[in-house]
Amino acid sequence: MFTGIIEELGRIERVERTADAARLTVRGPLAVEGVKHGDSIAVSGVCLTVVDFDAERFTADVMAQTLAMSTLDAVRDGLAVNLERAAKVGDRIGGHIVQGHIDGTAKVLEIRPGEAWRVIRFSLDTAHAPLVVDKGSIAVDGVSLTVSAVGADASGDWFEVSLIPETLAATTLGERAVGDAVNLETDILARQVARMLRFDEHRTLPSSVPAASAPSTNGGLA
């Protein structure tokens, strides 16, 4: 699990491709502090498993499904990426619960600069649109952000985020331009609720799960 608070700007040092996978070597001195074989590190929002490392870099394998679902399919040597180590139990969660399981990608539609911030509008796939709400949480390239606006026009659904200078400087979002692709992870709570709502009245929860209308045994909320 991650929090969407980026720890370090890393850089892709090597990409080895096979027919249905890739192996990435990423430079990130902070990200490898205390790392162990098998640990998880989010690379621009994608949860990857460390298979090798040294004092300044780590290597991870990326399978075909991850390549198809994320922007990692287009990574190249020298590309900057957002890095975050998995959260420890007891850490403050400065962002929101981020799994590193990408829903898909989005494209930058518009960038509007302000005096002290920048508003970026992203495309939103029809399947993901119900999961994104104004003032809700979303992870873009692994960065925990608050949705500042949602809407739709002739080109389709979209959402916006308002980025402060710190976010622009500390993450790759400050380098994004119109047309760029980004990794998108919607809020886990929204995905769970959407899944439950898809069950029709003829489908029931397992007997071990109490019905939502059942009163709590202690008189409070279940």
Side-chain angles (χ1 to χ4, degrees):
M1 187 185 78
F2 306 90
T3 67
I5 304 301
I6 302 306
E7 296 185 291
E8 182 178 23
L9 277 174
R11 197 162 296 276
I12 302 293
E13 287 196 339
R14 186 177 182 185
V15 181
E16 303 172 73
R17 298 186 183 275
T18 61
D20 61 352
R23 172 165 285 199
L24 307 181
T25 299
V26 185
R27 187 180 188 281
L30 177 60
V32 295
E33 283 187 9
V35 76
K36 302 185 299 296
H37 187 277
D39 280 355
S40 296
I41 297 177
V43 178
S44 287
V46 183
C47 179
L48 298 180
T49 300
V50 175
V51 298
D52 195 11
F53 63 93
D54 61 25
E56 293 198 345
R57 57 191 55 79
F58 67 93
T59 299
D61 290 322
V62 188
M63 298 296 100
Q65 182 180 14
T66 304
L67 292 172
M69 291 285 291
S70 74
T71 60
L72 293 186
D73 189 42
V75 294
R76 61 188 185 279
D77 293 359
L79 184 71
V81 289
N82 297 319
L83 299 179
E84 181 190 355
R85 292 169 292 185
K88 295 180 180 179
V89 175
D91 277 358
R92 294 183 180 88
I93 301 179
H96 70 285
I97 296 174
V98 177
Q99 295 181 293
H101 302 161
I102 302 302
D103 291 306
T105 61
K107 285 192 175 181
V108 177
L109 299 177
E110 180 184 343
I111 299 175
R112 303 196 305 275
E115 287 188 18
W117 65 87
R118 189 178 303 171
V119 177
I120 303 183
R121 177 177 292 190
F122 297 95
S123 64
L124 191 55
D125 187 274
T126 302
H128 302 145
L131 307 177
V132 181
V133 298
D134 189 19
K135 305 303 183 291
S137 296
I138 196 164
V140 178
D141 274 350
V143 184
S144 174
L145 300 171
T146 299
V147 176
S148 57
V150 292
D153 53 29
S155 63
D157 293 291
W158 53 263
F159 73 96
E160 293 181 346
V161 295
S162 299
L163 306 180
I164 62 174
E166 173 63 21
T167 303
L168 294 170
T171 74
T172 58
L173 295 181
E175 302 176 3
R176 296 285 71 86
V178 172
D180 284 354
V182 296
N183 294 317
L184 201 65
E185 181 183 337
T186 56
D187 184 41
I188 178 60
L189 297 179
R191 298 202 302 272
Q192 293 284 11
V193 171
R195 170 63 175 163
M196 293 174 68
L197 291 175
R198 283 198 293 269
F199 278 78
D200 61 36
E201 60 182 1
H202 300 295
R203 302 182 72 177
T204 59
L205 293 171
S207 58
S208 60
V209 179
S213 59
S216 171
T217 55
N218 62 7
L221 295 175

